[in-house]
Structure formats: C-alpha cells, structure tokens
Amino acid sequence: FFTKEIEDHLLAGDIDLAVHSLKDMPTAQPEGLTLAALSYRADVRDVVLIHKDKAVKGKPFQLADGATVGTSSNRRKAQLRELHPGLVPVDIRGNVPTRLEKARSGELDAVVLAAAGLERLELDLSDMVVVRPSPKEFVPAPGQGVMAIQTRKDAMAIRKQLAPLHNVTVGECTNVERTVLSMMEGGCSMPLGVYCDRDDVGNYHVWAAYAETHESEVKRIQLSLSTRDGLAERVVCLLYTSPSPRDS
C-alpha cells in the first residue's frame, strides 16, 4: 500500500530509484526490482508523545489509566496493552504532523510515532511530554529507522553508483529482522517487533515481541549469538515454542 505506486513508476522507467522506509517494505521484492542500498540507522525507538496536561509521573509511559493513545499499529497496540493494561489505543491515520496534532490539540491524550521520522522532519516537540521507551522493552518494527533505496535489477550502472551508500552492519542486522518477519509470514500489520543489534566485538543480539493479535498476550524473547547463521530461525522457533507469560 505504501510502496506500490512508486514501484510502478520504477518498473515503467519513469524514475531511476526510490527511497522508502525499510519497515514499510515487503520482505519479497516485486519482479524486476531490488534494494540497492540501506542507509545508516536513525534512532530505532518508538516515541510516546503526550499532551502536556495529560502526563502523570510514576505511571508507565507517564499515562493514567484510561488514557487514549493514537496508533494504528497492531505491534504498538499489543505492547502498549501489555506494558500498561489501562491504556485505550485509538486508530489514527495521516502523515506524521497530522497524527501529532491529535495529541497536541487534546483530541487524544498521546500518540506513538517512530523517533526516526520525527528526527528527519525536525519537528519542534517542546510543547509535548516525550517518552522514549527502550527498544529492548518496546520492540520496534523490523527495519525501523532505516531508509531503503530501491531500483531496477537491470539498472547496473545505478546500482554501482548506489553501492557506496550501503551500510553493511545495518544490512546484516535488518536482514535478521526481516527474515524473522518473512518466516512468520507476516506483513506490517502483524503484531511483531524484532530488533537486532551488533556489538563492538561482532556478537549479534536480538529482542523480539510477538502476539497473535493486538489483544493477545505478548511473547518476548532475547537471544545472542556470535554469528548470524541460523539466528533468525532460532528466534522464530523460540517465539513459537516459548510459554506465554501466563504459563511461565
């Protein structure tokens, strides 16, 4: 939905390349297209933006029981409900400034948005209360914070020009995240968060949170390995076989 119109222009030759948010990209590329480069990774976190009169210190996310939180993401809804069962998620649509205005105007108590988008738009948030949960607790979407440059497979000259822009470490980590998503046969509507990070000595660390629906219990796992080989497969296995919080 987010990418098809631009991809149609790529395939028609109207444009030479397209820039997308990686988290919006399907795990399988349309026939004839490829991802030529992935950017650096901006702040990977989700951000809770609260109307200044609605923040409550000492409560999870600084939100009172019954607070309305704008998000249409099933992943965010599931984790909000798990970490603060008293919250009331409300579906919202529109671009980032439109959604932000829902909280700024007081129509909603808060909204949840990606930190990367807020940073890239350089929005003034000084009139809001900003809560930035750890990505190890509030697990982001696969590929969050990364821009993907897409072009035609046969455009070899363009692909060669784009190659220096590719961030190898980001590519390795987001490949793990997106492989988990692919193996679970999920899309952007699946209540699945996966975040992979590589430390200074080359070890890979993965945090994942999964729910069958946005109202289901959330399963969480953390796994560290010295190699990416089989890492995504082990994450998927643990998500499907680990006991639910109620059973553990």
Side-chain angles (χ1 to χ4, degrees):
F1 176 81
F2 293 110
T3 61
K4 186 179 186 306
E5 182 177 356
I6 296 174
E7 289 173 338
D8 287 344
H9 284 290
L10 262 180
L11 290 168
D14 301 330
I15 56 176
D16 293 315
L17 56 90
V19 181
H20 306 279
S21 292
L22 182 61
K23 71 183 181 71
D24 293 336
M25 300 293 289
T27 53
Q29 290 292 290
E31 185 66 31
L33 298 182
T34 187
L35 297 183
L38 300 180
S39 75
Y40 70 95
R41 193 163 211 170
D43 191 334
V44 73
R45 292 175 292 182
D46 289 299
V47 177
V48 183
L49 298 150
I50 308 168
H51 187 283
K52 62 181 183 301
D53 295 332
K54 301 293 185 177
V56 180
K57 291 185 178 180
K59 296 289 287 184
F61 304 115
Q62 295 190 37
L63 288 169
D65 292 345
T68 53
V69 183
T71 178
S72 294
S73 162
N74 288 329
R75 171 187 61 85
R76 289 169 175 160
K77 289 177 185 176
Q79 294 188 65
L80 284 169
R81 282 195 168 107
E82 179 209 20
L83 297 169
H84 189 342
L87 296 181
V88 181
V90 177
D91 284 330
I92 55 172
R93 301 290 179 188
N95 59 28
V96 169
T98 298
R99 286 180 282 166
L100 180 59
E101 186 60 27
K102 299 283 187 181
R104 182 169 271 150
S105 67
E107 180 180 342
L108 297 172
D109 297 324
V111 295
V112 184
L113 299 169
L118 295 167
E119 287 182 1
R120 287 174 177 143
L121 290 172
E122 298 182 344
L123 296 176
D124 180 8
L125 304 175
S126 59
D127 61 331
M128 311 286 291
V129 176
V130 182
V131 177
R132 301 177 184 270
S134 166
K136 301 172 185 179
E137 180 182 36
F138 202 93
V139 187
Q144 187 158 310
V146 178
M147 294 180 291
I149 306 177
Q150 184 185 41
T151 190
R152 292 180 296 279
K153 276 187 177 180
D154 60 5
M156 299 309 297
I158 293 173
R159 291 174 64 181
K160 186 175 180 180
Q161 286 179 296
L162 292 172
L165 298 179
H166 180 65
N167 188 303
V168 175
T169 300
V170 168
E172 292 175 348
C173 291
T174 56
N175 180 261
V176 172
E177 297 168 8
R178 285 166 57 79
T179 299
V180 171
L181 180 65
S182 178
M183 292 182 67
M184 297 183 72
E185 300 181 348
C188 60
S189 64
M190 176 178 273
L192 172 69
V194 188
Y195 173 48
C196 178
D197 190 25
R198 182 177 181 269
D199 65 27
D200 292 339
V201 296
N203 296 314
Y204 296 89
H205 309 278
V206 179
W207 294 263
Y210 167 68
E212 291 185 5
T213 73
H214 66 84
E215 295 180 325
S216 303
E217 287 185 292
V218 176
K219 287 187 176 183
R220 293 179 174 272
I221 65 102
Q222 194 279 317
L223 181 64
S224 297
L225 290 179
S226 60
T227 175
R228 287 187 299 131
D229 292 342
L231 179 55
E233 289 79 1
R234 290 183 64 174
V235 170
V236 172
C237 182
L238 287 170
L239 285 174
Y240 279 135
T241 61
S242 62
S244 68
R246 185 177 298 169
D247 298 332
S248 56

